[in-house]
Amino acid sequence: MGILSRIWWTMRIDSRISLRRIAYRSNESGRDEVYLQPFPNGGGKVSISNGGGVQPVWARDGRALYFRSDADLMVARLGAAPAPAVRAVA
């Protein structure tokens, strides 16, 4: 079974962003979490949320990913570092 048939996913296609990653939510761990994965080749998924996450939405410039965690709006700043910097939006 392919990744798209196993999970609920969300992807934003924007002509200003080089489409190299897909952001999606999955409950494969038993809880909804947000992940990033290279696209279209797959492999190397990275967990963005810890403690729950749904509704991932890309920032216009493609450098951040917003998602909900319970009642909080979270932002993951994506850069060259191996792990994204994730924090609640004030």
Side-chain angles (χ1 to χ4, degrees):
M1 213 186 276
I3 188 170
L4 298 182
S5 60
R6 286 194 323 248
I7 59 173
W8 293 95
W9 58 278
T10 302
M11 180 171 77
R12 176 179 176 192
I13 297 176
D14 189 321
S15 61
R16 294 167 294 208
I17 299 171
S18 172
L19 184 58
R20 295 178 298 203
R21 299 176 287 203
I22 185 169
Y24 63 94
R25 85 170 159 111
S26 171
N27 65 358
E28 65 190 65
S29 69
R31 179 181 193 157
D32 285 335
E33 298 289 355
V34 175
Y35 297 90
L36 270 183
Q37 189 164 7
F39 183 81
N41 299 329
K45 75 178 177 183
V46 175
S47 178
I48 299 298
S49 61
N50 86 20
V54 295
Q55 298 177 326
V57 176
W58 288 105
R60 191 172 281 250
D61 65 5
R63 295 182 184 161
L65 183 67
Y66 294 91
F67 63 94
R68 278 186 343 146
S69 180
D70 295 321
D72 296 322
L73 177 62
M74 307 294 286
V75 61
R77 301 280 179 206
L78 308 173
V86 179
R87 67 174 178 80
V89 175

